[in-house]
Amino acid sequence: MSVEVIETIKQQVMSRASLWRIVEQYGLYKRLRKGSPTEEVLQQFVKDIQIEVINVKVVDKRTQTPTQATIAFTLAYDGETPDLAQKVTNELTDLFLGENLKSRERHAQQTTAFLKQAANLGRAASVTDAAHQPRGG
């Protein structure tokens, strides 16, 4: 998984709608919600979430040059209680994994469509070439 993929997934998971659903589901920031606008509550939630990408140094097999590879990420939530923090962290993790799966499925579908199109073009070229071959006798 690349940093770009993680960032894309993060944007989807950290959308206003997703975050607000979690705030309501787990009753987060009850005091803050009483006297503050939704945006302020969501800003606090985002501040309490930590996402860190883990990279390692590797050598590119094709070019033999050193490069960075993203191998994982950590996700944490600083909640009001340890139990609540664990539940919210698990919810966020499930959302990340679900979005990653959707992303991979979309990529697989795009690759399949591309390969089918390439195969169809190859067949069409073969038929055209065969039609233009002189007939031997």
Side-chain angles (χ1 to χ4, degrees):
M1 190 182 302
S2 70
V3 173
E4 293 82 18
V5 171
I6 291 173
E7 280 301 316
T8 300
I9 293 170
K10 180 179 172 183
Q11 288 173 1
Q12 292 164 338
V13 169
M14 302 289 278
S15 73
R16 194 175 188 278
S18 291
L19 293 179
W20 190 251
R21 185 186 57 76
I22 294 170
V23 166
E24 288 187 324
Q25 180 178 344
Y26 292 98
L28 305 177
Y29 310 105
K30 288 179 184 170
R31 276 188 247 139
L32 185 60
R33 285 167 58 189
K34 286 180 183 173
S36 302
T38 302
E39 280 307 311
E40 199 172 311
V41 176
L42 292 175
Q43 285 173 359
Q44 184 60 51
F45 190 23
V46 169
K47 285 180 189 175
D48 291 339
I49 297 170
Q50 297 88 40
I51 299 170
E52 187 176 324
V53 175
I54 300 170
N55 295 311
V56 294
K57 292 180 182 177
V58 295
V59 175
D60 186 312
K61 290 179 182 177
R62 289 176 291 159
T63 63
Q64 296 300 313
T65 57
T67 188
Q68 292 273 336
T70 301
I71 59 166
F73 66 93
T74 61
L75 187 143
Y77 169 68
D78 185 17
E80 297 169 25
T81 67
D83 183 54
L84 188 60
Q86 182 181 10
K87 287 177 182 176
V88 172
T89 301
N90 287 341
E91 181 74 24
L92 290 167
T93 300
D94 287 347
L95 289 173
F96 266 88
L97 294 175
E99 284 299 327
N100 183 43
L101 182 60
K102 287 180 195 173
S103 174
R104 291 170 64 135
E105 287 171 350
R106 280 191 301 269
H107 187 264
Q109 288 170 350
Q110 291 168 349
T111 300
T112 300
F114 171 79
L115 292 174
K116 283 181 181 177
Q117 185 179 16
N120 288 338
L121 289 174
R123 268 189 242 122
S126 295
V127 169
T128 303
D129 288 347
H132 293 300
Q133 293 294 319
R135 296 188 180 180

